[in-house]
Amino acid sequence: MSLPPDLRVLCHQLTSPKISSAHLAQSAQVLTGHVLQCADALSAPQDSKLRDNASEAAVLVHKLKTALKTLLNDRDHRRRFTGVVLVKAVVDVGGWECLRSSEPWKKDPIASKELAVVALARIFTQLHSYQTLVREIATPTIPGFITACLQLLKPSSPDQPLRTPLTVIETILTTLSAIIPLYPTTSRPFVSQIRTAIRPYLVPTLSDARVIPETLQSSSRRLSIALHFTAPKAGGSDEWTALLSGTVKHFHSTADQVFRAVKETWEPPLGYTASKVVFGEEPQGGGDSADILPIWSGVTSGSQRLVGLLRFMAEFILQPTKSQVSIPVGILVDAVCRVAQIARHVPKSQTWEQALETNPAVSREERDELWSAIPLIHVAALELLLTLCLRLRGNFVPVVPEALDYLVRVFKSGISNASIRCSSYRLLAEMLPLCGPTMTKETVSTLDLIIRACCRDLQQEAGYLKPAAQPTAEAKKNGVVMNADLFLSQKTDEASTSSPRLDPPHLSAAENLLTGLLSHLPQHHIRPALRALLDQTAILSHNKDAMMASVLNPFRNKQSKMYPSILPFYSQLFPDDQGLEVLRSNMRTSQPSDSSSFSVFKEAPSEEVSEDQDEDVEMAVEDTVATASSFKMADELEVSPPLVEDTAFKAVPVVDPGPKENPFAPRKPEDIPAATKRKSDDEAEEIKPVKKIHRDISMDEKMDNAPATLAPAAAEDDDSDDESVQLVASFDSDPEMDEAE
């Protein structure tokens, strides 16, 4: 094995007295690249002690390790930082040979400590595969590592700034959640201290002294769930279930306070005891105990606590467990049910007070604060259902009817909220492969609003919606001063009149839902207007997957008449797509089975289509006309006018050609297609096609029935197939043309 020059460069730069500490820290990235090139030398078996006859590679590796140890114990914090960076890189590529020489780390500035936490996490995760090294290195050092981490996590007083930055706290929590499942017995004595340390970061609210980022909240929840790995023997599943049940119980006790302004129609389960509500004071909850979440006060803080608890429930479903657990789907869906009951059926013409029965003992200000917080709670509830669907897959089918009901209810109430639309699209797109093909017509009809909203979002993103009507210029009307700029006849630039753009997750969810609606819904249950809208949106948004799904799932109306396919648009937009070539080849070789089939390419004369057959299609085209640019409520949701001809959405029957003609019968010159004629000075002769005919008859019968134009090669070939014969057939000549000759 040749010695890489990077190893010599490393040893020289780490031991040279000419290189300053500042330059060494600045070169940490370059030095790490040199370490990655020395993987073979660092992972090669070597003696623990350097001998006189050792190879050059062994000498250099020993010199490198000594230099790293010197850097870690140096007085200059910049050299110690460089040492930690290189130790992490050496452990990544060195494997067992470098793991067995790992040493404990010492106190240092916060940046070096964060990097040391990452390096040690890498060391401990790799040590888990070697039981000998676990006993020699991991077991003795992990308690000291966790103790040092807890010192960094120790909260300070609310009036003082944090001792440790939130980013470093997130790194520590992520590291602990990765190490505890690997070393549960060693970590068991620190469980209570860890629970106390992460308590402020689990479900923070506005009542807390600090703002906790979402990433830190997620890291703390994962660590809290991972603590059940430390349960002795087979108690991990029981502890996991108890923690989840406590979270759901805390959710309902918080909802009792937050939803006190509404007389709920939710039916609590048996054995549920509602928390005490005091109407003379602000809603509040929580406590100072280590087993209870921190105190909160006010509707806004309470709604944040509800959102956090719903996300905490979803985290339980996502994280791995120590052993097999039973997911309490019923109590999770029941929590979503309670949230979904607080919704409006007609948000445009209905206020919250009209949609729900309110409590007169609650002030108007508190009710308004609750109405403004409901969309955020609805989004968290939909995300919980989405997590259940992604985790359970086929086992989620029994819950689908309830989930669809809650989805439609929440979507109608918050259709003007982009977050609710995005979450609804994602949830419906995941449920369609599970239950879409078996949906009844009544169930499909309940999705009309979601379908139209999805199409409108995509057409708005594509720029095919009409701009809003500009207000008329009036200086003063009814004593109200109007905007004087309306008098100026200036041209508005394109950027000022363009439609608002969708967020990338929102756009992706709408595109996936459009494809799922065309792929998994029973197309005969969709109204013709909606199917025309789906096809139109797929074309305007250039959604290749949706257009393919539309071609593969053609639409038939009540009279079983097939509507024209959008394959011409598909081939025009994506001419190089391989799926298009498959469709073309299949359609070239396929033939209609009977005269009642309907063509997807060819359009019959208008007089062949009756008014009754065209009635549904005309209604479909009329429903696709849009007149507004801002998103409208449920009862006036519209879309843009179609950019294609109306005939693209018509069901056109193929005219019955009548009985098939004998291809060998005499034909007149005017009946012969122009493509089959050859012109010469004195005659026109037909092209003679070759046809291969297979019939299950005996050879004698074939020979008896063969025409005079039987090919000699086919009759004399001894190696020919006994079950078939090839006939070279030609059209009979026209008698009039024979006489002319």
Side-chain angles (χ1 to χ4, degrees), residues 360-433:
V362 179
S363 64
R364 175 67 178 271
E365 291 76 13
E366 181 178 336
R367 292 200 302 268
D368 292 339
E369 199 172 354
L370 175 61
W371 309 145
S372 63
I374 286 298
L376 297 177
I377 304 176
H378 281 170
V379 171
L382 293 178
E383 290 177 351
L384 177 57
L385 287 178
L386 176 61
T387 303
L388 281 172
C389 182
L390 292 173
R391 190 66 166 176
L392 300 179
R393 290 298 180 183
N395 297 322
F396 189 74
V397 172
V399 191
V400 166
E402 292 182 65
L404 279 176
D405 181 48
Y406 304 149
L407 170 62
V408 174
R409 183 187 297 268
V410 169
F411 190 86
K412 286 182 178 180
S413 178
I415 188 175
S416 60
N417 189 290
S419 299
I420 289 181
R421 297 203 305 276
C422 178
S423 300
S424 301
Y425 298 160
R426 294 176 59 197
L427 177 57
L428 183 57
E430 293 295 335
M431 288 194 296
L432 284 178

Side-chain angles (χ1 to χ4, degrees), residues 403-528:
L404 279 176
D405 181 48
Y406 304 149
L407 170 62
V408 174
R409 183 187 297 268
V410 169
F411 190 86
K412 286 182 178 180
S413 178
I415 188 175
S416 60
N417 189 290
S419 299
I420 289 181
R421 297 203 305 276
C422 178
S423 300
S424 301
Y425 298 160
R426 294 176 59 197
L427 177 57
L428 183 57
E430 293 295 335
M431 288 194 296
L432 284 178
L434 301 177
C435 61
T438 60
M439 282 186 180
T440 61
K441 185 176 181 180
E442 291 74 15
T443 304
V444 174
S445 63
T446 60
L447 304 178
D448 285 3
L449 181 62
I450 302 179
I451 296 174
R452 287 187 286 152
C454 176
C455 294
R456 193 188 188 285
D457 278 346
L458 291 175
Q459 292 195 16
Q460 171 183 290
E461 179 68 16
Y464 289 101
L465 292 184
K466 292 182 178 180
Q470 297 294 332
T472 58
E474 296 182 8
K476 191 172 182 180
K477 183 178 180 180
N478 298 330
V480 180
V481 179
M482 305 297 291
N483 185 4
D485 291 336
L486 297 177
F487 289 97
L488 302 178
S489 57
Q490 57 184 4
K491 295 182 179 180
T492 58
D493 55 353
E494 184 178 356
S496 62
T497 59
S498 59
S499 300
R501 308 291 294 183
L502 299 178
D503 294 334
H506 190 165
L507 178 60
S508 176
E511 290 176 343
N512 293 336
L513 178 59
L514 179 64
T515 305
L517 293 171
L518 291 167
S519 302
H520 303 293
L521 276 186
Q523 298 301 304
H524 57 280
H525 290 336
I526 302 178
R527 294 190 296 109

Side-chain angles (χ1 to χ4, degrees), residues 295-326:
I295 297 176
W296 62 270
S297 177
V299 175
T300 301
S301 298
S303 63
Q304 292 177 343
R305 179 60 53 85
L306 289 179
V307 171
L309 290 172
L310 287 171
R311 293 176 179 173
F312 199 2
M313 298 177 201
E315 203 71 44
F316 276 91
I317 311 302
L318 292 175
Q319 297 307 312
T321 58
K322 180 180 180 180
S323 58
Q324 184 177 359
V325 297
S326 298

Side-chain angles (χ1 to χ4, degrees), residues 572-593:
Q572 182 180 6
L573 293 175
F574 306 100
D576 299 330
D577 185 41
Q578 294 183 356
L580 179 62
E581 297 301 325
V582 176
L583 292 175
R584 284 172 174 167
S585 60
N586 289 341
M587 290 187 174
R588 280 197 301 264
T589 57
S590 61
Q591 297 292 339
S593 57

Side-chain angles (χ1 to χ4, degrees), residues 143-272:
F145 171 72
I146 297 179
T147 302
C149 290
L150 290 174
Q151 290 295 327
L152 296 175
L153 294 176
K154 187 176 181 180
S156 58
S157 59
D159 299 335
Q160 297 179 355
L162 287 173
R163 300 176 181 176
T164 306
L166 294 178
T167 56
V168 180
I169 293 177
E170 180 181 350
T171 302
I172 294 173
L173 298 185
T174 305
T175 300
L176 292 178
S177 61
I179 292 177
I180 288 177
L182 300 179
Y183 306 96
T185 305
T186 309
S187 308
R188 188 178 301 161
F190 305 95
V191 170
S192 59
Q193 301 178 47
I194 293 175
R195 290 189 189 277
T196 304
I198 65 177
R199 177 172 170 264
Y201 313 115
L202 287 173
V203 191
T205 64
L206 191 62
S207 300
D208 298 334
R210 300 178 180 88
V211 178
I212 308 300
E214 290 287 342
T215 54
L216 179 55
Q217 296 180 34
S218 180
S219 300
S220 62
R221 293 164 191 164
R222 289 196 298 267
L223 178 57
S224 177
I225 297 171
L227 292 178
H228 81 276
F229 280 90
T230 61
K233 296 182 179 180
S237 59
D238 296 335
E239 187 170 345
W240 183 88
T241 304
L243 182 60
L244 178 57
S245 301
T247 304
V248 176
K249 183 178 179 181
H250 199 108
F251 170 82
H252 286 298
S253 63
T254 305
D256 292 338
Q257 301 292 330
V258 177
F259 295 157
R260 67 179 189 174
V262 180
K263 293 184 178 180
E264 300 182 70
T265 58
W266 172 72
E267 297 181 1
L270 295 177
Y272 173 76

